[in-house]
Amino acid sequence: MRLYIDPMKDEPVFQQLIDQVKQAMVSGVLSPGDKLPTVRECAADLLINPNTVQKAYQELIREGLIYSRKGMGNFVAPFGDERQKTMRQAELQRLLDAFWTEARLSGYSKQEIRELINQFIDRGGEHE
Amino acid sequence: MRLYIDPMKDEPVFQQLIDQVKQAMVSGVLSPGDKLPTVRECAADLLINPNTVQKAYQELIREGLIYSRKGMGNFVAPFGDERQKTMRQAELQRLLDAFWTEARLSGYSKQEIRELINQFIDRGGEHE
Amino acid sequence: MRLYIDPMKDEPVFQQLIDQVKQAMVSGVLSPGDKLPTVRECAADLLINPNTVQKAYQELIREGLIYSRKGMGNFVAPFGDERQKTMRQAELQRLLDAFWTEARLSGYSKQEIRELINQFIDRGGEHE
Amino acid sequence: MRLYIDPMKDEPVFQQLIDQVKQAMVSGVLSPGDKLPTVRECAADLLINPNTVQKAYQELIREGLIYSRKGMGNFVAPFGDERQKTMRQAELQRLLDAFWTEARLSGYSKQEIRELINQFIDRGGEHE
DNA sequence: GTGGTCTAGACCACA
DNA sequence: GTGGTCTAGACCACA
């Protein structure tokens, strides 16, 4: 697993790292048990501050998506934990609301959005 | 149209205002040509600084969702402009990607997400 | 001569009026001696404040492009007065500078801009 | 890169800053990747408020001409992005129209304007 | 250290 | 009256 960042994006660097790890987990590039790059390795690789990498990993740990073993590194956690599921419902609803509002403001009808989403899902969600 | 804010949320106040106006436009509470509260009115109402309201309105202007007339106030712009549509496609795709990743990480299968979305749409997208 | 305004534009109303009269003079819709709409007529027509129309006309008078005859109305002045020419050189240079900078920032080469301009001129400057 | 302002000009300070950065980018004083003065540095240097500098930088970011990294500073973005080009066409046309109208009102003939422009371009567009 | 948000309030341009 | 610009300065997030 190799991470990268885009300095042009206004998304904070630590957030870009989090998103990438999540994307990799969804797409199967990272599987439960896989080892992530070490904090130092990653920081040296991307020319960023180790604290920034640490912050990203801490957040992923907090979300239960990775776990840390002292002296060993950081590893991908098993998916689909029931507790996670409950915790994520609100976030999910929020994202779906945001998507809906943007789509409606863009002038799409309910039916068009439904089709847009179905096409997306049929293609496998871009990442699969 | 009456706006409100939640000072406890960590979402910036100006962003909350933007989101609310957008929501109101999608839900039909605000229609093209409608007058928004004046900058001062809104600031006094919400006990926030006029500059904060101004910032929110400026962003909405920049997105082409409202327009401003000095000495007159701010007004809702016509929807669905073709140029806007093009500009929003990327944002839409981004939001749908984010939603998809979160949903997949929460352990939902493709089919479950499809059903989740269809239920959401059938309910009218929360706002209708 | 019928004037109109676009409330969506962020250009002030009085400026839109000025620009329109100028465009009409360049394109030949208005010729020296032609009568402009009266202040009240124009204000009533466009649903704007008479002061706004007055302000536009005052500016055109100041630039020597129209003149006012008490009780008679406002009329288009003869073109090309030598004094005007001198006064306008700076403004012209400024506009050309602005155009050049934008064009260069848009990625056009010197040669491309030259061609762009020549095409524009050959078409008659859009307004003729 | 050193910025300056003229407080006597009626052009807003933030606009003067924007124009200067653009000019510097066109003339080659600023190249992609170059670091701009920090918000505070610039404000202290010009004896203006940091918010005013911030406003100028925000607009440049919005136009895609610079990008910002928290804790790092603001940097010049790569030029000539294809999307920018498309977005700027309208602005370009508008400026050329304005120039044309002013020139015609000043009494120049089509041929004279063509020569005026060619001279300008041959001199390298003032900035090169 | 550096950018981002926000307050409190002055002053100006436009309508 | 209404929006736009600007000051002086606080506090927070990010690196």
Side-chain angles (χ1 to χ4, degrees):
Chain A
M1 178 65 193
R2 191 80 182 293
L3 296 164
Y4 64 96
I5 56 164
D6 178 358
M8 297 284 296
K9 269 188 176 168
D10 67 346
E11 197 182 12
V13 173
F14 86 95
Q15 190 64 54
Q16 291 188 43
L17 296 177
I18 290 170
D19 290 348
Q20 253 175 94
V21 173
K22 286 185 178 181
Q23 289 282 352
M25 289 171 72
V26 169
S27 68
V29 170
L30 283 177
S31 300
D34 283 357
K35 188 174 185 298
L36 293 168
T38 68
V39 170
R40 286 177 188 175
E41 205 174 63
C42 183
D45 200 27
L46 303 176
L47 301 171
I48 60 179
N49 194 308
N51 291 335
T52 305
V53 183
Q54 186 62 25
K55 181 167 186 173
Y57 282 8
Q58 288 294 2
E59 173 62 17
L60 289 165
I61 290 168
R62 203 186 63 68
E63 295 190 40
L65 296 172
I66 70 173
Y67 61 93
S68 177
R69 289 189 57 192
K70 267 181 191 154
M72 301 291 286
N74 293 279
F75 301 86
V76 178
F79 297 166
D81 170 62
E82 199 55 42
R83 193 164 52 91
Q84 272 179 41
K85 212 172 206 165
T86 310
M87 282 165 53
R88 286 175 176 283
Q89 296 282 12
E91 173 67 2
L92 225 60
Q93 188 63 37
R94 202 185 61 69
L95 286 171
L96 192 46
D97 273 3
F99 173 72
W100 176 259
T101 298
E102 289 293 335
R104 292 291 277 153
L105 280 173
S106 299
Y108 292 99
S109 68
K110 279 176 60 171
Q111 188 51 36
E112 282 172 318
I113 299 173
R114 181 202 293 268
E115 280 161 16
L116 186 81
I117 291 170
N118 282 337
Q119 283 167 24
F120 181 82
I121 294 176
D122 290 339
R123 286 202 313 276
E126 285 303 287
H127 312 287
E128 203 158 5
Chain B
M1 177 66 192
R2 191 81 182 292
L3 296 165
Y4 65 95
I5 55 158
D6 178 357
M8 297 299 292
K9 267 192 185 164
D10 66 348
E11 195 184 13
V13 172
F14 84 96
Q15 191 63 54
Q16 291 186 44
L17 294 176
I18 290 170
D19 290 347
Q20 250 175 97
V21 173
K22 286 186 178 180
Q23 290 282 353
M25 288 170 74
V26 170
S27 69
V29 170
L30 284 176
S31 300
D34 285 355
K35 189 175 185 299
L36 293 169
T38 69
V39 171
R40 287 161 169 78
E41 205 174 63
C42 184
D45 200 26
L46 303 177
L47 301 172
I48 59 178
N49 192 283
N51 285 335
T52 304
V53 183
Q54 182 74 356
K55 182 169 186 172
Y57 282 8
Q58 289 288 7
E59 173 63 17
L60 290 164
I61 289 167
R62 198 186 69 67
E63 295 189 37
L65 296 173
I66 69 174
Y67 64 91
S68 176
R69 284 189 60 188
K70 259 184 191 165
M72 301 292 285
N74 292 280
F75 302 86
V76 178
F79 295 168
D81 171 62
E82 199 56 40
R83 196 164 51 92
Q84 272 180 40
K85 215 172 205 166
T86 309
M87 284 166 52
R88 285 176 177 284
Q89 298 280 11
E91 172 69 1
L92 227 60
Q93 189 64 39
R94 202 187 60 71
L95 286 170
L96 193 45
D97 274 2
F99 173 72
W100 176 261
T101 298
E102 289 294 333
R104 291 292 277 151
L105 281 173
S106 299
Y108 292 99
S109 68
K110 279 176 59 169
Q111 188 52 35
E112 283 171 318
I113 300 173
R114 180 201 294 266
E115 281 161 15
L116 186 80
I117 290 170
N118 283 338
Q119 283 166 24
F120 180 82
I121 293 175
D122 290 339
R123 286 202 313 276
E126 286 301 287
H127 312 286
E128 203 156 5
Chain C
M1 178 65 191
R2 190 79 181 293
L3 296 165
Y4 65 96
I5 55 163
D6 177 358
M8 296 285 296
K9 268 187 175 166
D10 66 347
E11 199 182 11
V13 172
F14 86 95
Q15 191 64 53
Q16 290 188 44
L17 296 176
I18 290 170
D19 289 349
Q20 253 174 95
V21 173
K22 286 186 178 180
Q23 289 284 352
M25 289 169 72
V26 169
S27 68
V29 171
L30 284 176
S31 300
D34 284 356
K35 187 175 185 297
L36 292 169
T38 68
V39 171
R40 286 178 186 173
E41 205 174 64
C42 184
D45 199 27
L46 303 176
L47 301 171
I48 60 178
N49 194 308
N51 290 335
T52 305
V53 183
Q54 186 62 25
K55 181 167 186 172
Y57 282 8
Q58 288 293 2
E59 173 62 16
L60 289 165
I61 290 168
R62 203 186 64 69
E63 295 189 41
L65 296 172
I66 69 174
Y67 61 92
S68 177
R69 290 189 57 193
K70 268 183 191 153
M72 301 290 287
N74 294 280
F75 302 87
V76 178
F79 296 167
D81 171 63
E82 197 57 40
R83 192 165 52 91
Q84 272 179 42
K85 212 172 206 164
T86 309
M87 283 166 51
R88 285 176 178 285
Q89 296 281 12
E91 172 68 1
L92 226 59
Q93 189 62 39
R94 201 185 61 71
L95 286 171
L96 192 46
D97 273 3
F99 173 72
W100 176 261
T101 297
E102 288 293 334
R104 292 291 277 152
L105 280 174
S106 299
Y108 293 99
S109 70
K110 278 175 61 170
Q111 188 50 37
E112 283 171 317
I113 300 172
R114 180 202 294 268
E115 281 160 15
L116 186 80
I117 291 169
N118 283 338
Q119 283 167 25
F120 181 83
I121 293 175
D122 290 339
R123 286 202 314 275
E126 286 302 287
H127 312 287
E128 203 157 4
Chain D
M1 178 67 193
R2 191 81 182 292
L3 296 165
Y4 65 96
I5 55 159
D6 178 357
M8 297 299 291
K9 266 192 185 163
D10 68 346
E11 195 184 13
V13 173
F14 84 96
Q15 191 64 53
Q16 291 187 43
L17 295 176
I18 291 170
D19 290 347
Q20 252 176 95
V21 173
K22 286 185 178 180
Q23 289 283 353
M25 288 170 72
V26 169
S27 69
V29 172
L30 284 176
S31 299
D34 285 356
K35 189 175 185 299
L36 293 168
T38 68
V39 172
R40 285 162 170 77
E41 207 174 61
C42 183
D45 199 27
L46 303 177
L47 302 172
I48 59 178
N49 192 284
N51 285 334
T52 304
V53 183
Q54 182 75 355
K55 183 169 186 172
Y57 282 8
Q58 289 288 6
E59 173 63 17
L60 290 165
I61 289 168
R62 198 186 69 68
E63 295 190 37
L65 296 173
I66 69 173
Y67 63 92
S68 177
R69 282 189 61 189
K70 260 184 191 165
M72 303 291 285
N74 291 280
F75 304 85
V76 178
F79 294 169
D81 170 63
E82 199 54 41
R83 196 164 52 91
Q84 272 180 41
K85 214 171 203 165
T86 308
M87 283 165 54
R88 284 175 177 284
Q89 297 281 12
E91 172 68 2
L92 227 59
Q93 189 63 38
R94 199 186 62 70
L95 286 171
L96 193 45
D97 274 3
F99 173 72
W100 175 260
T101 298
E102 288 294 333
R104 292 290 278 151
L105 281 172
S106 298
Y108 292 99
S109 69
K110 278 175 62 169
Q111 188 52 35
E112 283 171 317
I113 299 172
R114 181 201 295 267
E115 280 160 16
L116 185 81
I117 290 170
N118 283 338
Q119 283 166 27
F120 180 83
I121 294 175
D122 289 339
R123 287 201 313 277
E126 286 301 286
H127 313 285
E128 202 157 6

